[in-house]
Amino acid sequence: MNTAHRPASRRSTLRLTLTALVLAPLVAMAAGAPTGAPTAAAASAPATSGRIVLTISGDISSGGSTRSLDLDMAALAALPQHSFTTRTPWYPQPVQFTGPLLRDVLALAGARGEQLTAVALNDYKVDLPTADTKRWNVVIARLQDGKPMSVRQKGPLFIVYPFDASEELRSERYYGRSAWQLRRLVVK
C-alpha cells in the first residue's frame, strides 16, 4: 500500500514532537544559551484533550486574547521530564519528584513577568520570583516516587525545589514557595 500521501499518525507526530523537545536544549546549548534558559521551546502550545490540571494566566503570550493557557497531564508529560530525590519537611524520608521544569512550563506559556502567584486547589496562594526558575531546577512534580500523586498526596501537581542541591534551599523561604495541589499560575 502506498503511504506516501497518508497523513502522519498520532504516534509519529508525538515522536517528532518529543524529538524536537529533546533536541531543543542541545541546540540551545550549542548556540550558547545561558544555563538558566528554558529547555523546552515555546513554539506552540499543545492541544489539550484531557482534564485540565493547570491554567497559566497573566503576563503571557500564549492563549490568544484570553491570555490563559490550559494544560492537561499529557501536555505536561510531553515536556522534558526531570527527576531528583530530596528531603522535605513534609515527608519523613527522601522522596523522588518527577515533572517538567517550571521554567519550561513558563516558556511554553510565553511568560514575561518577574513574579508568579501559585494557586492551589483550595485557593491557597504563594508568590515566588521567576528568577528562582532560572537559578534552580524547580519542577512541577506530577510523579512522586514514580507514581502519579493524588490530592491526598499533595497532587496532582506540586511545585518542588531541589532542596538537597543547596543549603540555601533548606530554609523556610524556599519551603514556603513550594505549592502542592497546584491548580493555577498567574504571571505578573
Side-chain angles (χ1 to χ4, degrees):
M1 161 164 60
N2 182 359
T3 60
H5 293 86
R6 190 171 66 187
S9 71
R10 183 177 174 104
R11 183 178 297 220
S12 64
T13 301
L14 180 60
R15 189 177 305 124
L16 288 172
T17 301
L18 290 175
T19 301
L21 288 172
V22 169
L23 291 177
L26 299 174
V27 171
M29 285 174 37
T35 308
T39 57
S44 64
T48 57
S49 59
R51 184 174 64 86
I52 303 303
V53 293
L54 181 63
T55 299
I56 306 167
S57 62
D59 193 3
I60 64 172
S61 62
S62 291
S65 61
T66 63
R67 295 280 184 230
S68 176
L69 177 64
D70 291 326
L71 299 171
D72 61 12
M73 202 59 83
L76 291 169
L79 291 168
Q81 301 295 292
H82 298 268
S83 295
F84 55 76
T85 299
T86 191
R87 292 169 289 163
T88 76
W90 310 289
Y91 300 101
Q93 299 296 320
V95 176
Q96 181 189 54
F97 294 100
T98 302
L101 292 175
L102 178 52
R103 68 175 160 255
D104 289 349
V105 174
L106 295 175
L108 182 69
R112 298 179 291 232
E114 295 183 15
Q115 191 78 9
L116 296 174
T117 299
V119 183
L121 292 171
N122 66 358
D123 287 327
Y124 171 82
K125 296 176 180 148
V126 64
D127 292 326
L128 56 143
T130 57
D132 281 4
T133 70
K134 295 173 181 82
R135 185 171 180 205
W136 309 107
N137 286 332
V138 181
V139 298
I140 296 183
R142 52 182 207 81
L143 302 176
Q144 177 183 319
D145 292 329
K147 298 176 185 161
M149 295 177 287
S150 68
V151 170
R152 177 175 235 157
Q153 297 168 312
K154 301 186 179 0
L157 300 175
F158 188 170
I159 294 176
V160 185
Y161 285 73
F163 300 116
D164 288 348
S166 170
E167 183 69 36
E168 180 182 350
L169 290 173
R170 290 188 292 275
S171 68
E172 287 305 314
R173 165 187 273 173
Y174 294 101
Y175 293 147
R177 291 178 184 172
S178 293
W180 56 77
Q181 298 175 343
L182 179 66
R183 174 63 184 101
R184 289 184 290 140
L185 288 172
V186 180
V187 183
K188 302 175 192 176

